[in-house]
Amino acid sequence: MLTLESATVRFGERVAVDGVDLEVADHEIVCVLGPSGSGKSSLLRLVAGLQEPDGGRVLLDGADQDGVPVHRRGLGLMFQDHQLFPHRDVGANVAFGLRMHGVGRDEQDRRVAELLDLVGLPGAERRAVAALSGGEQQRVALARALAPRPRLLMLDEPLGQLDRSLRERLVVELRALFGRLGTTVLAVTHDQGEAFALADRVVVMREGRVAQVGTPLEVWQRPASAFVARFLGFDNVVEATVDGERALTDWGEVPVPAGSRQGACDLLVRPAGVRIGGPGKGLGCVVGARTFRGSHVAVTLRPEHGPVLEAECSLRGTPDEGERIGVTFDPSECVVLPALF
Ligand code: ADP
Ligand code: MG
């Protein structure tokens, strides 16, 4: 459905999108994930036709979009700063794109009612936009974007303004809704939780380039690089030299799974793989801050050598702050990272 070939966007010296190749299949939900400034919005604007490419091509259903204006690309856009019309009611907001496409009045009304049903706001046509909650406004914006039946729906940080619990609920609803409608979606967000909950496939971006592509599970289980691992919130990453099933690191020797890449690399140790035992066994550490995370406690450890370590402890098995303990590593939670970018 969507193909990007070496897509490039420059702002002066700055390369915002740097030779990105990307495909989105029919009915697929792809989420571009990256820190602020990594080029996500520029990428979306390029696909939408709001941004001229400085190199490469954008194809929709195989057709080069060079010179095709925004409103002829058949896209639905929902951007973070894409405000609703405050002085029009909900119905008029949702009908906006239909009116632009010259859809008749009766058909508009029918379609608006159907969409408001879909987004969980049945009968809200005559309500004032200003009287809606943030989450309700987001649903109206979504209904408006979906109304003209876009071949590709594009979302830029769609839930960024909402509080966490609402965001978590909406994202699950959105995924179910897109699945039911068979909507093809390209979304961008800096929030990994949102991306992982929404996407069939995640594209991690760094400085305008693709750092990793995979299913949420693949990216989570096998981050491609130290950058991706850290971005996902894994801080136990060290330089290592792998020799057979051992990695030599600043923490000492860490066991790694058989078949791991050999030689100089970055090594990720998941917090669940940091085993805490009595002092004198393994790497000596002093217990630092402990943070309650609901299902477990995240414990900061200061090792006798090497960078700070984070361990995941059960609620009952958490050592006390200041306690001296020994750490060993579970090889099944140690990941030799394949890429250096
Ligand atoms: P993201 O959406 O991931 O935060 P953006 O695509 O907005 O990233 O920005 C990528 C880079 O391009 C940033 O360094 C940003 O400062 C720069 N940039 C974006 N838009 C413009 C613009 N209109 N003019 C100049 N620089 C821009
Ligand atoms: Mg952005």
Side-chain angles (χ1 to χ4, degrees):
M1 139 83 47
L2 168 68
T3 305
L4 291 183
E5 289 176 358
S6 289
T8 301
V9 175
R10 286 194 198 93
F11 296 106
E13 293 286 280
R14 203 173 181 93
V15 188
V17 180
D18 191 359
V20 168
D21 295 316
L22 177 66
E23 302 234 351
V24 180
D26 255 326
H27 309 303
E28 192 181 23
I29 303 175
V30 172
C31 212
V32 176
L33 172 67
S36 172
S38 57
K40 306 180 298 294
S41 294
S42 302
L43 186 77
L44 271 201
R45 292 170 53 81
L46 181 72
V47 175
L50 294 163
Q51 176 71 52
E52 285 281 311
D54 292 295
R57 301 203 299 165
V58 177
L59 299 110
L60 286 167
D61 292 317
D64 194 329
Q65 297 299 297
D66 187 29
V68 179
V70 183
H71 62 279
R72 295 221 181 277
R73 295 193 179 193
L75 306 172
L77 309 181
M78 186 173 149
F79 290 174
Q80 191 176 20
D81 55 0
H82 215 67
Q83 302 276 346
L84 296 172
F85 306 113
H87 302 302
R88 296 189 188 168
D89 62 19
V90 167
N93 268 280
V94 177
F96 175 74
L98 300 172
R99 235 174 23 248
M100 292 289 105
H101 284 83
V103 174
R105 189 63 213 229
D106 288 351
E107 171 66 10
Q108 276 184 35
D109 289 349
R110 207 186 51 71
R111 192 93 186 102
V112 167
E114 185 182 301
L115 279 153
L116 288 175
D117 258 359
L118 264 178
V119 299
L121 290 170
E125 282 91 337
R126 301 284 78 86
R127 289 178 69 185
V129 161
L132 302 177
S133 72
E136 287 170 333
Q137 291 190 9
Q138 217 67 42
R139 288 162 201 260
V140 174
L142 178 67
R144 182 174 68 175
L146 285 171
R149 295 200 176 92
R151 58 178 163 180
L152 176 66
L153 178 67
M154 302 210 298
L155 313 171
D156 190 346
E157 311 265 1
L159 309 177
Q161 314 281 42
L162 306 175
D163 63 51
R164 178 142 219 103
S165 63
L166 180 57
R167 220 156 65 200
E168 282 171 2
R169 211 175 61 231
L170 265 181
V171 90
V172 173
E173 285 179 22
L174 283 182
R175 184 168 165 81
L177 176 64
F178 297 151
R180 268 202 323 278
L181 296 176
T183 317
T184 308
V185 180
L186 179 62
V188 313
T189 175
H190 68 278
D191 184 302
Q192 33 140 320
E194 204 170 297
F196 282 27
L198 188 62
D200 298 320
R201 213 146 51 88
V202 172
V203 177
V204 184
M205 272 185 83
R206 174 189 188 185
E207 294 167 16
R209 289 159 68 184
V210 174
Q212 186 169 10
V213 181
T215 64
L217 194 65
E218 282 164 2
V219 173
W220 185 257
Q221 288 188 328
R222 309 234 137 251
S225 64
F227 167 81
V228 176
R230 289 214 168 89
F231 184 64
L232 298 182
F234 293 119
D235 289 323
N236 295 339
V237 180
V238 277
E239 289 180 4
T241 306
V242 181
D243 178 14
E245 293 176 29
R246 314 169 309 152
L248 214 58
T249 75
D250 285 349
W251 293 317
E253 216 173 87
V254 177
V256 296
S260 291
R261 205 185 87 153
Q262 302 289 295
C265 66
D266 287 311
L267 176 75
L268 159 67
V269 179
R270 294 173 195 288
V274 178
R275 287 199 201 117
I276 293 179
K281 190 162 178 282
L283 174 65
C285 295
V286 177
V287 176
R290 306 177 308 165
T291 311
F292 180 62
R293 297 270 190 220
S295 58
H296 67 273
V297 179
V299 180
T300 301
L301 303 172
R302 288 192 303 277
E304 56 198 4
H305 45 76
V308 163
L309 262 173
E310 191 188 304
E312 191 177 302
C313 295
S314 65
L315 300 183
R316 286 165 202 281
T318 307
D320 292 326
E321 198 164 335
E323 201 176 320
R324 288 178 183 284
I325 51 108
V327 154
T328 54
F329 299 96
D330 175 353
S332 69
E333 300 288 352
C334 297
V335 185
V336 175
L337 303 174
L340 293 172
F341 179 71

